[in-house]
Amino acid sequence: MRNYKKYQNFKSWKPDSFGEIKLEEERYFEEEFKLVQNGYQNNKVMIEIGFGNGNFSLWSIKQGYEYFGFEAIPELINTAKDLGLNVFSSENSFEEVLTHNSADYVVAWDVFEHLNNDEIISKLLQCHKVLKSGGKVIARVPSGDSPFSGPLQNGDFTHKSVIGSSFVRQIAMETGFQVEDIRSPVLPLMGMGVKTFLRRGLISILQKIIFFLLSKILMGGEKLVLTQNMMFILKKP
């Protein structure tokens, strides 16, 4: 938590401003990383591709990570720098900022779908160079496996790629990563009140039933990610 005092002024911003983190977002990041860490002990250096409004930036710093953020939008970079964050333009490669084998995680929330195939390969090769052995890439994208992801995938004209399970396995092989997991994002139930617990619990049950039936009846029982979003975790050997 050595750097957290710098970011206390995040709390004075309005809800739609940079660095505001909601309880449900905080619980989401916590639950995702419980699964992602999976015994990995070197939890020190975090890189984020496309830090956006800074929600994950704040969470990472509160957890004690040494944080490095990369972003394409100059206004967001300037705002983050004014608040003391360690951030850079996406035009900078990771190697310009970090040494090889120095990072534990590279996170990309809703980023890779904005890149074409060559750009994805280039970015993952950069990740491979700066990650330690055992380090991981954690990414969330609209699920190319799912018939329900259309509104997410097609609702943004800047999306360039449709990323499904098979795509992830092929791109991992191309860039020297092992696929540790391909799954649905977590849906935290606890710590946000009774109404949220009941609503999300019902959603989870219905999803399991509907997705099981769809997989068996229409998709030959193949294991696919049928939620709107997909998480994939790649590990450097």
Side-chain angles (χ1 to χ4, degrees):
M1 299 237 180
R2 55 191 174 134
N3 295 323
Y4 182 48
K5 288 184 179 179
K6 291 182 183 179
Y7 307 99
Q8 293 295 326
N9 53 349
F10 269 120
K11 295 182 179 178
S12 67
W13 283 64
K14 296 177 182 178
D16 60 348
S17 65
F18 190 97
E20 183 74 19
I21 183 168
K22 298 177 182 177
L23 175 60
E24 63 184 58
E25 292 172 324
E26 193 162 7
R27 292 290 297 121
Y28 172 72
F29 295 144
E30 288 171 1
E31 293 300 316
E32 283 289 2
F33 267 78
K34 283 180 184 177
L35 293 178
V36 166
Q37 286 171 339
N38 192 25
Y40 182 64
Q41 299 299 316
N42 293 321
N43 303 317
K44 298 178 182 178
V45 179
M46 179 79 71
I47 300 172
E48 184 177 14
I49 307 171
F51 58 78
N53 286 328
N55 297 342
F56 185 73
S57 309
L58 177 58
W59 183 85
S60 298
I61 292 160
K62 287 175 69 175
Q63 306 310 307
Y65 288 102
E66 184 176 1
Y67 176 86
F68 296 84
F70 293 80
E71 175 58 56
I73 300 173
E75 291 81 3
L76 292 174
I77 297 169
N78 292 335
T79 300
K81 284 184 175 179
D82 288 343
L83 291 173
L85 271 75
N86 197 22
V87 297
F88 307 88
S89 169
S90 294
E91 294 181 2
N92 295 110
S93 71
F94 297 158
E95 296 169 89
E96 294 177 61
V97 178
L98 297 102
T99 58
H100 286 197
N101 308 309
S102 63
D104 299 293
Y105 299 110
V106 179
V107 173
W109 307 108
D110 313 312
V111 171
F112 282 115
E113 64 269 25
H114 295 273
L115 309 178
N116 62 36
N117 288 3
D118 290 340
E119 290 168 333
I120 293 172
I121 290 173
S122 175
K123 191 62 68 177
L124 287 177
L125 288 173
Q126 287 185 44
C127 294
H128 197 281
K129 289 178 181 178
V130 298
L131 282 169
K132 301 172 184 175
S133 178
K136 301 177 184 182
V137 174
I138 303 113
R140 184 178 65 199
V141 297
S143 177
D145 293 348
S146 175
F148 306 108
S149 68
L152 291 180
Q153 183 66 49
N154 302 322
D156 189 334
F157 76 95
T158 66
H159 288 179
K160 298 179 181 179
S161 296
V162 178
I163 300 173
S165 298
S166 180
F167 181 103
V168 172
R169 295 186 185 97
Q170 292 174 53
I171 214 79
M173 187 179 300
E174 186 74 17
T175 54
F177 281 99
Q178 297 172 349
V179 178
E180 180 167 281
D181 205 1
I182 302 173
R183 57 172 172 79
S184 299
V186 297
L187 186 65
L189 300 177
M190 308 301 293
M192 292 172 289
V194 175
K195 288 184 178 180
T196 300
F197 173 81
L198 292 175
R199 178 173 57 83
R200 291 190 171 193
L202 179 60
I203 289 171
S204 296
I205 292 170
L206 290 174
Q207 279 184 343
K208 287 179 181 178
I209 295 171
I210 293 168
F211 293 165
F212 174 80
L213 292 174
L214 282 175
S215 176
K216 290 293 183 182
I217 296 171
L218 300 178
M219 300 176 179
E222 186 178 354
K223 186 178 180 182
L224 300 171
V225 179
L226 298 180
T227 47
Q228 284 191 309
N229 279 313
M230 167 191 291
M231 293 294 299
F232 65 85
I233 293 85
L234 307 181
K235 181 179 178 180
K236 180 177 175 178

